[in-house]
Coordinates of all heavy atoms in Angstrom, one line a residue:
M1 N 1.6 17.0 21.8 CA 2.4 17.7 20.8 C 3.8 17.9 21.4 O 3.9 18.4 22.5 CB 1.8 19.0 20.5 CG 0.4 19.0 19.8 SD 0.5 18.6 18.1 CE 0.7 20.2 17.4
A2 N 4.7 17.5 20.6 CA 6.1 17.8 21.0 C 6.5 19.2 20.6 O 6.5 19.5 19.4 CB 7.0 16.8 20.4
V3 N 6.8 20.0 21.5 CA 7.2 21.4 21.2 C 8.7 21.5 21.2 O 9.3 21.1 22.2 CB 6.6 22.4 22.2 CG1 7.0 23.8 21.9 CG2 5.0 22.2 22.2
Q4 N 9.2 21.9 20.1 CA 10.7 22.0 20.0 C 11.0 23.5 20.2 O 10.4 24.4 19.7 CB 11.1 21.6 18.6 CG 10.8 20.1 18.3 CD 11.1 19.8 16.8 OE1 11.6 20.6 16.1 NE2 10.9 18.5 16.5
P5 N 12.1 23.7 21.0 CA 12.5 25.0 21.3 C 12.9 25.8 20.0 O 13.5 25.2 19.1 CB 13.7 24.9 22.2 CG 14.1 23.4 22.2 CD 13.0 22.7 21.6
G6 N 12.5 27.0 19.9 CA 12.8 27.8 18.7 C 11.8 27.7 17.6 O 12.0 28.4 16.6
R7 N 10.8 26.8 17.7 CA 9.9 26.6 16.6 C 8.5 27.0 17.2 O 8.1 26.7 18.3 CB 9.8 25.2 16.2 CG 11.1 24.7 15.6 CD 10.9 23.3 15.0 NE 10.3 23.5 13.6 CZ 9.9 22.4 12.9 NH1 10.1 21.2 13.4 NH2 9.4 22.6 11.7
P8 N 7.7 27.7 16.3 CA 6.4 28.0 16.8 C 5.6 26.8 17.1 O 5.8 25.7 16.5 CB 5.8 28.7 15.6 CG 6.9 29.1 14.7 CD 8.0 28.1 15.0
V9 N 4.6 26.9 18.1 CA 3.9 25.7 18.5 C 3.1 25.1 17.4 O 3.0 23.9 17.2 CB 2.9 26.1 19.7 CG1 2.0 25.0 20.0 CG2 3.7 26.5 20.9
H10 N 2.6 25.9 16.4 CA 1.8 25.4 15.3 C 2.6 24.6 14.3 O 2.1 23.9 13.5 CB 1.0 26.5 14.6 CG 1.8 27.5 14.0 ND1 2.3 28.6 14.6 CD2 2.2 27.6 12.7 CE1 3.0 29.4 13.8 NE2 3.0 28.8 12.6
H11 N 3.9 24.6 14.5 CA 4.8 23.8 13.6 C 5.2 22.5 14.3 O 5.9 21.7 13.7 CB 6.1 24.6 13.2 CG 5.8 25.6 12.2 ND1 6.7 26.5 11.8 CD2 4.7 25.9 11.4 CE1 6.2 27.3 10.8 NE2 5.0 26.9 10.6
A12 N 4.8 22.3 15.6 CA 5.1 21.1 16.3 C 4.5 19.9 15.6 O 3.3 20.0 15.1 CB 4.7 21.2 17.8
R13 N 5.2 18.8 15.6 CA 4.6 17.6 15.0 C 4.0 16.7 16.1 O 4.6 16.6 17.2 CB 5.7 16.9 14.2 CG 6.5 17.8 13.3 CD 7.4 17.0 12.4 NE 6.6 16.4 11.4 CZ 7.2 15.6 10.5 NH1 8.4 15.3 10.5 NH2 6.4 15.1 9.5
P14 N 2.9 16.1 15.8 CA 2.3 15.2 16.7 C 3.2 14.0 17.0 O 3.9 13.5 16.1 CB 1.0 14.8 16.1 CG 1.2 15.0 14.6 CD 2.1 16.1 14.5
V15 N 3.2 13.5 18.3 CA 3.9 12.3 18.7 C 3.0 11.1 18.6 O 1.9 11.1 19.1 CB 4.5 12.5 20.1 CG1 5.2 11.2 20.5 CG2 5.4 13.7 20.2
G16 N 3.4 10.1 17.8 CA 2.6 8.9 17.7 C 3.3 8.0 16.8 O 4.5 8.1 16.5
P17 N 2.6 6.9 16.4 CA 3.2 5.9 15.5 C 3.7 6.5 14.2 O 3.1 7.4 13.7 CB 2.1 4.9 15.2 CG 1.0 5.3 16.2 CD 1.2 6.6 16.7
Q18 N 4.8 6.1 13.7 CA 5.3 6.5 12.4 C 4.3 6.1 11.3 O 3.9 5.0 11.2 CB 6.7 5.9 12.1 CG 7.8 6.6 12.9 CD 8.1 8.0 12.3 OE1 7.7 8.3 11.2 NE2 8.8 8.8 13.0
V19 N 4.0 7.1 10.5 CA 3.1 6.8 9.3 C 4.0 6.9 8.1 O 4.7 7.9 7.9 CB 2.0 7.8 9.2 CG1 1.1 7.5 8.0 CG2 1.1 7.7 10.5
T20 N 4.0 5.8 7.3 CA 4.8 5.8 6.1 C 4.1 6.7 5.0 O 3.0 6.5 4.8 CB 4.9 4.3 5.5 OG1 5.3 3.5 6.6 CG2 5.9 4.3 4.4
P21 N 4.9 7.6 4.5 CA 4.3 8.4 3.4 C 3.7 7.6 2.3 O 4.3 6.5 1.9 CB 5.5 9.3 2.9 CG 6.4 9.3 4.1 CD 6.2 8.0 4.8
L22 N 2.6 8.0 1.7 CA 1.9 7.2 0.7 C 2.7 6.8 -0.5 O 2.6 5.7 -1.0 CB 0.6 8.0 0.3 CG -0.5 7.2 -0.4 CD1 -0.9 6.0 0.4 CD2 -1.6 8.1 -0.8
L23 N 3.6 7.7 -0.9 CA 4.4 7.4 -2.1 C 5.8 7.1 -1.8 O 6.7 7.4 -2.6 CB 4.3 8.6 -3.1 CG 2.8 8.9 -3.6 CD1 2.8 10.1 -4.5 CD2 2.3 7.7 -4.3
A24 N 6.1 6.6 -0.6 CA 7.4 6.4 -0.2 C 8.1 5.2 -0.9 O 9.3 5.2 -1.0 CB 7.5 6.0 1.3
G25 N 7.3 4.3 -1.5 CA 7.9 3.2 -2.2 C 8.3 2.1 -1.3 O 9.0 1.2 -1.7
V26 N 7.9 2.1 -0.1 CA 8.3 1.1 0.9 C 7.0 0.6 1.6 O 6.2 1.4 2.0 CB 9.2 1.6 2.0 CG1 9.5 0.5 3.0 CG2 10.5 2.2 1.4
C27 N 6.8 -0.7 1.6 CA 5.6 -1.2 2.2 C 5.5 -0.8 3.7 O 6.5 -1.0 4.4 CB 5.6 -2.8 2.1 SG 4.1 -3.5 2.9
G28 N 4.4 -0.2 4.1 CA 4.3 0.3 5.5 C 3.6 -0.7 6.4 O 3.3 -0.4 7.5
Y29 N 3.4 -2.0 5.9 CA 2.7 -3.0 6.8 C 3.6 -3.3 8.0 O 4.8 -3.4 7.9 CB 2.4 -4.2 6.0 CG 1.8 -5.3 6.8 CD1 0.4 -5.3 7.0 CD2 2.5 -6.4 7.3 CE1 -0.2 -6.2 7.8 CE2 1.8 -7.4 8.1 CZ 0.5 -7.3 8.3 OH -0.1 -8.3 9.0
W30 N 2.9 -3.4 9.1 CA 3.6 -3.7 10.3 C 2.8 -4.7 11.2 O 1.6 -4.5 11.3 CB 3.9 -2.5 11.2 CG 4.7 -2.7 12.4 CD1 6.1 -2.6 12.5 CD2 4.2 -3.0 13.7 NE1 6.4 -2.9 13.8 CE2 5.3 -3.2 14.5 CE3 3.0 -3.3 14.2 CZ2 5.2 -3.5 15.9 CZ3 2.8 -3.6 15.6 CH2 4.0 -3.7 16.4
S31 N 3.4 -5.7 11.7 CA 2.7 -6.6 12.7 C 3.5 -6.8 13.9 O 4.8 -6.8 13.8 CB 2.3 -7.9 12.0 OG 3.5 -8.7 11.8
A32 N 2.9 -7.1 15.0 CA 3.6 -7.3 16.3 C 4.5 -8.5 16.2 O 5.6 -8.6 16.7 CB 2.7 -7.4 17.4
A33 N 4.0 -9.5 15.4 CA 4.8 -10.8 15.3 C 6.0 -10.6 14.4 O 7.1 -11.1 14.8 CB 3.8 -11.9 14.8
A34 N 5.8 -10.0 13.3 CA 6.9 -10.0 12.3 C 7.6 -8.7 12.1 O 8.6 -8.6 11.4 CB 6.3 -10.5 10.9
G35 N 7.0 -7.6 12.7 CA 7.6 -6.3 12.6 C 7.3 -5.7 11.3 O 6.3 -6.0 10.7
A36 N 8.1 -4.8 10.9 CA 7.8 -4.0 9.6 C 8.2 -4.9 8.4 O 9.1 -5.6 8.4 CB 8.7 -2.7 9.6
C37 N 7.4 -4.7 7.4 CA 7.7 -5.5 6.1 C 8.9 -4.8 5.4 O 9.9 -5.5 5.2 CB 6.4 -5.5 5.2 SG 6.8 -6.1 3.6
G38 N 8.7 -3.6 5.0 CA 9.8 -2.8 4.4 C 10.1 -3.2 3.0 O 11.1 -2.8 2.4
S39 N 9.3 -4.0 2.4 CA 9.5 -4.4 1.0 C 9.4 -3.2 0.0 O 8.6 -2.3 0.3 CB 8.5 -5.5 0.6 OG 8.7 -5.8 -0.8
T40 N 10.2 -3.2 -1.0 CA 10.2 -2.2 -2.0 C 9.8 -2.7 -3.4 O 9.8 -2.0 -4.4 CB 11.5 -1.5 -2.1 OG1 12.5 -2.4 -2.5 CG2 11.9 -0.8 -0.8
T41 N 9.3 -4.0 -3.4 CA 8.9 -4.6 -4.7 C 7.5 -4.4 -5.0 O 6.6 -4.8 -4.2 CB 9.2 -6.1 -4.6 OG1 10.6 -6.3 -4.2 CG2 9.0 -6.8 -5.9
A42 N 7.2 -3.8 -6.1 CA 5.8 -3.6 -6.6 C 4.9 -2.9 -5.5 O 3.7 -3.3 -5.4 CB 5.2 -4.9 -7.1
V43 N 5.4 -1.9 -4.8 CA 4.7 -1.2 -3.8 C 3.7 -0.2 -4.5 O 4.1 0.5 -5.4 CB 5.6 -0.5 -2.8 CG1 4.8 0.3 -1.8 CG2 6.4 -1.6 -2.0
R44 N 2.5 -0.2 -4.0 CA 1.5 0.7 -4.5 C 0.8 1.5 -3.4 O 0.7 1.0 -2.3 CB 0.4 0.0 -5.3 CG 0.8 -0.6 -6.6 CD -0.3 -1.3 -7.2 NE 0.0 -1.8 -8.6 CZ -0.9 -2.4 -9.3 NH1 -2.1 -2.6 -8.9 NH2 -0.5 -2.8 -10.5
P45 N 0.3 2.7 -3.7 CA -0.4 3.4 -2.7 C -1.8 2.9 -2.5 O -2.5 2.6 -3.5 CB -0.4 4.9 -3.2 CG -0.3 4.7 -4.7 CD 0.5 3.5 -4.9
Y46 N -2.2 2.7 -1.3 CA -3.6 2.3 -0.9 C -4.1 3.3 0.2 O -3.3 4.0 0.8 CB -3.6 0.9 -0.4 CG -3.3 -0.2 -1.4 CD1 -2.1 -0.7 -1.6 CD2 -4.4 -0.7 -2.2 CE1 -1.8 -1.6 -2.5 CE2 -4.1 -1.7 -3.1 CZ -2.8 -2.1 -3.3 OH -2.5 -3.1 -4.2
P47 N -5.4 3.3 0.4 CA -5.9 4.2 1.5 C -5.2 3.9 2.8 O -5.1 4.9 3.6 CB -7.4 3.9 1.5 CG -7.7 3.5 0.1 CD -6.5 2.7 -0.4
V48 N -4.8 2.7 3.1 CA -4.2 2.4 4.4 C -2.7 2.7 4.4 O -2.0 2.6 5.4 CB -4.4 0.9 4.7 CG1 -5.8 0.6 5.0 CG2 -3.8 0.0 3.7
G49 N -2.2 3.1 3.2 CA -0.7 3.4 3.1 C -0.1 2.6 2.0 O -0.8 1.8 1.3
P50 N 1.2 2.8 1.7 CA 1.8 2.0 0.7 C 2.0 0.5 1.1 O 2.3 0.3 2.2 CB 3.2 2.7 0.5 CG 3.4 3.4 1.8 CD 2.1 3.7 2.4
R51 N 1.7 -0.4 0.2 CA 1.7 -1.8 0.5 C 2.3 -2.6 -0.7 O 2.0 -2.3 -1.8 CB 0.3 -2.3 0.8 CG -0.4 -1.8 2.0 CD 0.3 -2.3 3.3 NE -0.4 -1.8 4.5 CZ -0.1 -0.7 5.2 NH1 0.8 0.1 4.7 NH2 -0.7 -0.4 6.3
C52 N 3.0 -3.6 -0.3 CA 3.5 -4.6 -1.3 C 2.4 -5.6 -1.6 O 1.4 -5.6 -0.9 CB 4.7 -5.3 -0.8 SG 4.4 -6.5 0.5
P53 N 2.5 -6.4 -2.7 CA 1.4 -7.3 -3.1 C 1.0 -8.3 -2.0 O -0.1 -8.7 -1.9 CB 2.0 -8.0 -4.3 CG 3.0 -7.1 -4.9 CD 3.6 -6.3 -3.7
A54 N 2.0 -8.6 -1.1 CA 1.7 -9.6 -0.1 C 0.9 -9.0 1.1 O 0.2 -9.7 1.9 CB 3.0 -10.2 0.5
H55 N 0.9 -7.6 1.2 CA 0.2 -7.0 2.3 C -0.8 -5.9 1.8 O -1.2 -5.1 2.6 CB 1.3 -6.3 3.2 CG 2.2 -7.2 3.8 ND1 3.6 -7.2 3.7 CD2 1.9 -8.3 4.6 CE1 4.1 -8.2 4.4 NE2 3.2 -8.9 4.9
C56 N -1.2 -6.0 0.5 CA -2.3 -5.1 0.0 C -3.6 -5.5 0.7 O -3.7 -6.7 1.2 CB -2.3 -5.1 -1.5 SG -3.0 -6.6 -2.2
P57 N -4.6 -4.6 0.8 CA -5.8 -5.0 1.4 C -6.5 -6.3 1.0 O -7.0 -7.0 1.8 CB -6.7 -3.7 1.2 CG -5.7 -2.6 1.0 CD -4.5 -3.3 0.3
S58 N -6.4 -6.5 -0.4 CA -7.1 -7.7 -0.8 C -6.3 -9.0 -0.4 O -6.9 -10.0 0.0 CB -7.2 -7.7 -2.4 OG -5.9 -7.5 -2.9
A59 N -5.0 -8.9 -0.3 CA -4.2 -10.1 0.1 C -4.5 -10.4 1.6 O -4.7 -11.5 2.0 CB -2.7 -9.9 -0.1
L60 N -4.6 -9.3 2.4 CA -4.8 -9.5 3.8 C -6.3 -10.0 4.1 O -6.5 -10.6 5.1 CB -4.6 -8.2 4.6 CG -3.2 -7.7 4.6 CD1 -3.1 -6.3 5.3 CD2 -2.3 -8.7 5.3
A61 N -7.2 -9.7 3.1 CA -8.5 -10.2 3.3 C -8.7 -11.6 2.6 O -9.8 -12.1 2.6 CB -9.5 -9.2 2.6
G62 N -7.6 -12.2 2.1 CA -7.6 -13.5 1.5 C -8.3 -13.5 0.1 O -8.7 -14.6 -0.3
R63 N -8.3 -12.4 -0.6 CA -8.8 -12.3 -1.9 C -7.7 -12.2 -2.9 O -6.6 -11.7 -2.6 CB -9.8 -11.1 -2.0 CG -11.0 -11.3 -1.2 CD -12.1 -10.3 -1.5 NE -11.7 -8.9 -1.3 CZ -12.0 -8.3 -0.1 NH1 -12.7 -8.8 0.8 NH2 -11.6 -7.0 0.0
P64 N -8.0 -12.5 -4.2 CA -6.9 -12.4 -5.2 C -6.5 -10.9 -5.4 O -7.3 -10.0 -5.2 CB -7.5 -13.0 -6.5 CG -9.0 -13.2 -6.2 CD -9.2 -13.1 -4.7
H65 N -5.3 -10.7 -5.9 CA -4.8 -9.4 -6.2 C -5.5 -8.8 -7.4 O -5.8 -9.6 -8.3 CB -3.3 -9.5 -6.5 CG -2.6 -8.2 -6.5 ND1 -2.5 -7.4 -7.6 CD2 -2.0 -7.4 -5.5 CE1 -1.9 -6.3 -7.3 NE2 -1.6 -6.3 -6.1
P66 N -5.8 -7.5 -7.4 CA -6.5 -6.9 -8.5 C -5.8 -7.2 -9.9 O -6.5 -7.4 -10.9 CB -6.5 -5.4 -8.2 CG -6.4 -5.4 -6.7 CD -5.6 -6.6 -6.3
D67 N -4.5 -7.2 -9.9 CA -3.7 -7.5 -11.1 C -4.1 -8.9 -11.6 O -4.2 -9.1 -12.9 CB -2.2 -7.4 -10.9 CG -1.8 -5.9 -10.9 OD1 -2.6 -5.0 -11.1 OD2 -0.6 -5.7 -10.6
D68 N -4.2 -9.9 -10.7 CA -4.5 -11.2 -11.1 C -5.9 -11.3 -11.7 O -6.2 -12.0 -12.7 CB -4.4 -12.2 -10.0 CG -3.0 -12.3 -9.5 OD1 -2.1 -12.0 -10.3 OD2 -2.8 -12.6 -8.3
L69 N -6.9 -10.6 -11.1 CA -8.2 -10.5 -11.6 C -8.3 -9.9 -13.0 O -8.9 -10.4 -13.9 CB -9.1 -9.7 -10.7 CG -9.4 -10.3 -9.3 CD1 -10.2 -9.4 -8.4 CD2 -10.1 -11.7 -9.5
L70 N -7.5 -8.8 -13.2 CA -7.4 -8.1 -14.5 C -6.9 -9.1 -15.6 O -7.4 -9.1 -16.7 CB -6.6 -6.9 -14.4 CG -6.6 -6.0 -15.6 CD1 -8.0 -5.5 -15.9 CD2 -5.7 -4.8 -15.4
R71 N -5.8 -9.8 -15.2 CA -5.2 -10.8 -16.1 C -6.2 -11.9 -16.5 O -6.3 -12.2 -17.7 CB -4.0 -11.5 -15.5 CG -2.7 -11.1 -16.2 CD -1.5 -11.7 -15.5 NE -0.7 -10.7 -14.8 CZ -0.5 -10.6 -13.5 NH1 -0.9 -11.6 -12.8 NH2 0.1 -9.6 -13.0
Q72 N -7.0 -12.3 -15.6 CA -8.0 -13.3 -15.9 C -9.1 -12.8 -16.8 O -9.5 -13.4 -17.8 CB -8.7 -13.8 -14.6 CG -7.8 -14.7 -13.7 CD -8.5 -15.0 -12.4 OE1 -9.7 -14.8 -12.2 NE2 -7.7 -15.6 -11.5
V73 N -9.5 -11.6 -16.6 CA -10.6 -10.9 -17.4 C -10.0 -10.7 -18.8 O -10.7 -11.0 -19.8 CB -11.0 -9.6 -16.8 CG1 -11.8 -8.8 -17.8 CG2 -11.8 -9.8 -15.5
N74 N -8.8 -10.2 -18.9 CA -8.2 -10.0 -20.3 C -8.0 -11.3 -21.0 O -8.2 -11.4 -22.2 CB -6.9 -9.3 -20.1 CG -7.1 -7.8 -19.8 OD1 -8.2 -7.3 -20.0 ND2 -6.1 -7.2 -19.2
A75 N -7.6 -12.4 -20.3 CA -7.4 -13.7 -20.9 C -8.8 -14.2 -21.4 O -8.9 -14.8 -22.5 CB -6.8 -14.7 -20.0
A76 N -9.9 -14.1 -20.6 CA -11.2 -14.5 -21.0 C -11.7 -13.7 -22.2 O -12.3 -14.3 -23.1 CB -12.1 -14.4 -19.8
R77 N -11.4 -12.4 -22.2 CA -11.9 -11.6 -23.4 C -11.1 -12.0 -24.6 O -11.7 -12.1 -25.7 CB -11.6 -10.1 -23.1 CG -12.6 -9.5 -22.2 CD -12.3 -8.0 -22.0 NE -13.3 -7.4 -21.1 CZ -13.1 -6.3 -20.4 NH1 -11.9 -5.7 -20.5 NH2 -14.0 -5.8 -19.6
A78 N -9.8 -12.3 -24.5 CA -9.0 -12.7 -25.7 C -9.5 -14.0 -26.2 O -9.6 -14.2 -27.4 CB -7.5 -12.7 -25.3
E79 N -9.8 -14.9 -25.3 CA -10.3 -16.2 -25.7 C -11.7 -16.1 -26.4 O -11.9 -16.6 -27.4 CB -10.4 -17.1 -24.5 CG -10.7 -18.6 -24.9 CD -10.6 -19.5 -23.6 OE1 -9.6 -19.4 -22.9 OE2 -11.6 -20.3 -23.4
R80 N -12.5 -15.2 -25.8 CA -13.9 -15.0 -26.4 C -13.8 -14.4 -27.8 O -14.5 -14.7 -28.7 CB -14.7 -14.1 -25.5 CG -16.1 -13.8 -26.0 CD -16.6 -12.6 -25.3 NE -15.9 -11.4 -25.7 CZ -16.0 -10.2 -25.0 NH1 -16.8 -10.1 -24.0 NH2 -15.3 -9.1 -25.4
D81 N -12.8 -13.4 -28.0 CA -12.7 -12.7 -29.2 C -11.8 -13.5 -30.2 O -11.5 -13.0 -31.3 CB -12.1 -11.3 -29.0 CG -13.0 -10.5 -28.1 OD1 -14.2 -10.9 -28.0 OD2 -12.6 -9.5 -27.6
G82 N -11.3 -14.7 -29.9 CA -10.6 -15.5 -30.8 C -9.1 -15.1 -31.0 O -8.5 -15.4 -31.9
Q83 N -8.6 -14.3 -30.0 CA -7.2 -13.9 -30.1 C -6.4 -14.8 -29.1 O -7.0 -15.5 -28.3 CB -7.0 -12.4 -29.6 CG -7.8 -11.5 -30.4 CD -8.0 -10.1 -29.7 OE1 -7.5 -9.9 -28.6 NE2 -8.7 -9.2 -30.4
S84 N -5.1 -14.8 -29.3 CA -4.4 -15.7 -28.4 C -3.2 -14.9 -27.8 O -3.0 -13.8 -28.1 CB -3.8 -16.9 -29.2 OG -3.0 -16.4 -30.3
Ligands
ZN1 ZN1 4.6 -5.8 2.7

């Protein structure tokens, strides 16, 4: 714990890696090779922190983005129901 002079010890902030606030609107993905992503495009909160579509948990796992799955389901339903 970093203790700052003049502040009570229970207000000291832990020293460690920076954690991006969940609703910061900036992708918090970081890799040793590429560094911080920092994208602000279509960033959403995930349990691991805010992530852009390229770094959301499904993308990192090699699976389709949930929005793409929803689009496919809606298109299949529209086709089934005879709508276009
Ligand atoms: Zn990102």
Side-chain angles (χ1 to χ4, degrees):
M1 296 281 272
V3 179
Q4 298 174 358
R7 297 187 80 185
V9 171
H10 63 274
H11 285 171
R13 308 189 79 183
V15 175
Q18 281 286 346
V19 177
T20 309
L22 196 57
L23 300 176
V26 177
C27 178
Y29 180 80
W30 184 92
S31 72
C37 170
S39 172
T40 57
T41 305
V43 173
R44 290 183 173 180
Y46 291 94
V48 294
R51 294 291 185 268
C52 71
H55 296 123
C56 70
S58 55
L60 294 177
R63 293 193 295 265
H65 192 272
D67 282 353
D68 295 337
L69 293 174
L70 188 61
R71 247 179 251 118
Q72 289 175 11
V73 168
N74 286 338
R77 282 184 180 156
E79 189 172 311
R80 180 197 66 194
D81 298 342
Q83 301 163 0
S84 57

